[in-house]
Amino acid sequence: MAALPLRVTGATRRFRDRGHQLTVFESLDLEVQDREIFVLLGPSGCGKSTLLRVIAGLDVLDEGTVTLEAGDHGRDVGIVFQQPLLLPWLTVTENVSLGLDYRANQGARQDGAVEAILAEFGLSELAHAYPDELSGGQAQRVSLARTVVTRPRVILLDEPFGALDPLTRRTLQQWLLGIQQSMGLTVVMVTHDVDEAVLLGDRVALMSPSPGRISRTWQFSREARDPAHLAATRDEVLRAYGEVAPSLAPSTAAMPAI
Amino acid sequence: MTSGRAAGATITRGRVSGTLRSILVSIAYPALGFAVLLAVWWAWILFFVEAGSFQSSFAPDEGFRALVRLIENGTLNRHITASLKRIVVGLGIAAAIGIPFGLALGGIRPFARAAGLVTSFIRMVSPLSWTPLAIIWFGVGDPPVYFLIAIGAVWPIALSTSAGVASLDRQWLMLGRSLRASRIEMLRTIIWPGVRGDVLTGLRLGLTTAWIILVPAEMLGVDSGMGYFILDSRDRFAYADLVAAIIVIGALGFVLDRLAQWFLTPRRRSRARGAAGEPRPAEATPVPTAEYRI
Ligand SMILES: Nc1ncnc2c1ncn2[C@@H]1O[C@H](COP(=O)(O)OP(=O)(O)OP(=O)(O)O)[C@@H](O)[C@H]1O
Ligand SMILES: [Mg+2]
């Protein structure tokens, strides 16, 4: 079997806070396959962001290992946050090339790479715009472009559409699917939106809280993505989600089906 | 058709008269203020100063006549140049020390803890209290003046820089780390542009402080500059020259402050956070950002 882009084994993370100890997740395992969208679904506070930060190297594990395969350009993993975090004094083009400016990513530098990604992401016309001139959806696309242009082997998305209005969110979800397929990206995405998980995921892993563990995983095949099948699976995922986060189920269930 | 054009004309006329009025207001009120100042000045000379006494040369007309004469014969030129040079050097030293110090104060917590109390202590010592020490350490001439200006101007620069660092969005730092920026790259691409606006504000405040310290500092051990010229006029009993010097000091300070506002106010594109209430130049041209790129 080919090397996996990302494997997490026996991951445990605890926070100590004034004598009180909180185990965020414990003995957590997951594997991400090449060119898939792996969705990590779970209720608020179950440790999804912490896990992503650990994978991104922004936090450390107490136990366990994260194994990442290096990409062709030396960079293994890149992360996109819920907030676009664009630097307000830079234009769209400059924001996107921010990471390429750093020595650590010089392997991904290529003439025209930034222009190409702007075109691919439908941002060419905004190349010289400043962040305060962008809509939320545009800003989040710029943020994604900034990470993708450094060619990481695995792209981590932490609720990237969480702060957007429903319509923009839906548009960007479809757009992300297209981009992921055309560019062959390997994506790990965190969300607590069941619809988003089912719509985007090749695999959906449901994370249960305190301490966080993967309680169930669903696999989807692209061919089987007909609306009826998705609706049926959505109900199944929603039911399981309701079991791990009972208090959250009603409001989630009230959301319209895809 | 006709009515439409008429309406358009009315609107245009209204706008023009609005602009005209705002120009009038922005000129008329300051002019009125100056007129009152001159009137009080004159009144003082007329009613409280005996004609022909030495104080009568403090009259405004004498002062302005002296001003014209001193400009024409080049005397003032020399003193103004000397003073401006000291401001530039003193402020340069203050910036060279204050900016790194402020960056450390805002960004390195143990350093802030250790330096905080000491800083507020030294800061509250009036810069001129250092005069005797300055002369012992640096002798006479320009160096002690540079020192006095620098020790006064360094605090607004350092504190403004430090406040800028402290209010940087922590998430930007996380972003930098996630893109694998080295410490230097982080400083160059995220921290520095993020605090640049605060540094500029600090420089402006520093310039004002420097100008206020300059004149008394020049009253010691130097033979040029506006401060020296004031003492010199007194010694020569040339009170009209003294009045002229005061006019020049006020006017130059005003011009410097305006220039600093113009050049050092962060333009829209370079500001990380809006410094509310800061006057901005009318057309905010984007500051070149190329230096922060590849
Ligand atoms: N640096 C930290 N110190 C102490 N506790 C922390 C820290 N970071 C996260 N936690 C705690 O760990 C738990 C998991 O947080 P995390 O942000 O990973 O959850 P999440 O699943 O991403 O939630 P959400 O869906 O709301 O974003 C929370 O209870 C949080 O309070
Ligand atoms: Mg989170």
Side-chain angles (χ1 to χ4, degrees):
Chain A
M1 193 177 163
L4 289 169
L6 166 64
R7 173 185 297 180
V8 176
T9 41
T12 301
R13 181 71 175 106
R14 301 188 188 90
F15 288 114
R16 277 153 225 88
D17 193 23
R18 289 182 223 106
H20 179 79
Q21 180 165 305
L22 171 76
T23 303
V24 183
F25 46 80
E26 193 168 45
S27 310
L28 186 143
D29 300 318
L30 63 85
E31 288 180 349
V32 174
Q33 314 281 341
D34 189 28
R35 291 166 190 248
E36 74 169 345
I37 298 187
F38 180 92
V39 174
L40 202 55
L41 174 71
S44 193
C46 72
K48 307 180 297 292
S49 296
T50 307
L51 182 58
L52 279 203
R53 277 203 305 276
V54 165
I55 298 173
L58 299 170
D59 196 356
V60 289
L61 285 175
D62 292 290
E63 285 159 39
T65 52
V66 173
T67 316
L68 282 151
E69 188 191 57
D72 299 338
H73 304 273
R75 183 159 155 80
D76 46 22
V77 64
I79 186 167
V80 176
F81 303 97
Q82 179 170 359
Q83 303 301 328
L85 299 181
L86 302 181
L87 301 180
W89 56 85
L90 299 180
T91 63
V92 165
T93 304
E94 290 161 346
N95 264 293
V96 171
S97 27
L98 182 69
L100 292 179
D101 187 10
Y102 301 147
R103 263 186 70 93
N105 305 315
Q106 57 187 346
R109 273 180 220 160
Q110 227 172 58
D111 284 344
V114 173
E115 288 70 23
I117 200 115
L118 288 179
E120 180 84 41
F121 279 38
L123 294 166
S124 298
E125 257 143 52
L126 297 167
H128 303 291
Y130 282 88
D132 59 4
E133 298 166 89
L134 305 179
S135 70
Q138 290 166 339
Q140 200 49 283
R141 272 187 286 157
V142 174
S143 171
L144 191 61
R146 177 177 57 195
T147 298
V148 171
V149 80
T150 63
R151 309 291 196 94
R153 183 70 180 88
V154 179
I155 293 165
L156 311 174
L157 306 177
D158 192 352
E159 295 186 47
F161 310 136
L164 303 173
D165 68 273
L167 195 64
T168 311
R169 192 184 313 157
R170 193 45 50 99
T171 315
L172 281 194
Q173 285 164 349
Q174 293 294 349
W175 169 82
L176 178 68
L177 269 181
I179 289 286
Q180 184 261 338
Q181 299 213 307
S182 68
M183 300 185 76
L185 306 176
T186 304
V187 174
V188 178
M189 175 164 170
V190 152
T191 184
H192 47 218
D193 178 347
V194 173
D195 290 325
E196 182 167 87
V198 174
L199 178 70
L200 295 179
D202 292 300
R203 280 192 300 148
V204 173
L206 179 64
M207 197 166 162
S208 59
S210 48
R213 284 224 183 86
I214 307 282
S215 70
R216 247 190 103 174
T217 308
W218 289 266
Q219 174 113 31
F220 299 88
S221 67
R222 294 277 178 189
E223 296 73 49
R225 281 183 176 277
D226 64 287
H229 176 75
L230 282 186
T233 322
R234 172 188 176 271
D235 289 342
E236 193 186 317
V237 177
L238 197 53
R239 229 171 294 120
Y241 190 90
E243 282 161 25
V244 301
S247 61
L248 285 164
S251 63
T252 318
M255 291 198 303
I258 309 164
Chain B
M1 204 48 199
T2 321
S3 69
R5 202 179 297 150
T10 313
I11 288 164
T12 311
R13 201 177 333 118
R15 199 189 296 139
V16 165
S17 80
T19 323
L20 210 65
R21 196 165 63 208
S22 78
I23 288 173
L24 268 178
V25 164
S26 69
I27 291 176
Y29 282 101
L32 181 69
F34 254 95
V36 170
L37 175 70
L38 275 177
V40 171
W41 189 354
W42 263 120
W44 170 61
I45 298 290
L46 277 180
F47 299 118
F48 297 97
V49 173
E50 223 173 292
S53 81
F54 80 93
Q55 278 205 55
S56 62
S57 32
F58 284 119
D61 59 334
E62 299 255 3
F64 282 104
R65 254 199 301 278
L67 181 63
V68 171
R69 190 188 73 242
L70 290 168
I71 290 173
E72 274 175 0
N73 69 19
T75 314
L76 267 178
N77 229 340
R78 180 170 82 88
H79 294 298
I80 289 174
T81 315
S83 284
L84 288 182
K85 185 187 125 203
R86 291 182 188 125
I87 285 286
V88 170
V89 175
L91 198 62
I93 296 171
I97 296 170
I99 295 172
F101 185 74
L103 288 175
L105 209 56
I108 308 172
R109 201 160 294 177
F111 184 81
R113 292 236 170 84
L117 193 64
V118 177
T119 304
S120 16
F121 174 80
I122 301 179
R123 190 165 66 89
M124 292 318 286
V125 177
S126 161
L128 291 171
S129 326
W130 298 99
T131 306
L133 281 173
I135 289 173
I136 291 171
W137 289 338
F138 299 103
V140 291
D142 287 345
V145 181
Y146 296 154
F147 171 81
L148 292 176
I149 291 176
I151 204 166
V154 75
W155 307 117
I157 297 173
L159 294 182
S160 185
T161 305
S162 139
V165 176
S167 65
L168 266 185
D169 191 340
R170 299 289 124 177
Q171 298 214 70
W172 285 348
L173 305 182
M174 192 172 67
L175 167 75
R177 282 214 292 146
S178 83
L179 290 169
R180 300 197 296 182
S182 68
R183 280 179 154 255
I184 296 288
E185 287 167 338
M186 195 95 107
L187 188 67
R188 177 172 61 84
T189 60
I190 297 179
I191 298 175
W192 173 250
V195 302
R196 199 166 29 167
D198 301 276
V199 172
L200 294 181
T201 305
L203 283 176
R204 262 180 50 200
L205 298 173
L207 176 66
T208 313
T209 312
W211 188 249
I212 289 171
I213 298 170
L214 173 78
V215 172
E218 279 179 339
M219 294 185 171
L220 311 138
V222 291
D223 56 7
S224 62
M226 295 313 297
Y228 165 81
F229 186 67
I230 287 200
L231 285 196
D232 182 56
S233 307
R234 182 199 61 185
D235 294 344
R236 290 184 288 112
F237 304 104
Y239 296 115
D241 287 11
L242 207 153
V243 172
I246 289 174
I247 294 171
V248 168
I249 289 167
L252 267 186
F254 171 81
V255 169
L256 280 179
D257 190 49
R258 278 301 152 99
L259 284 178
Q261 258 177 41
W262 178 260
F263 287 110
L264 299 183
T265 297
R267 304 298 201 268
R268 176 168 166 268
R269 291 314 180 193
S270 66
R271 40 212 294 139
R273 297 161 301 284
E278 295 286 325
R280 282 186 214 175
E283 73 258 33
T285 41
V287 164
T289 45
E291 58 188 297
Y292 298 101
R293 298 193 43 220
I294 300 168

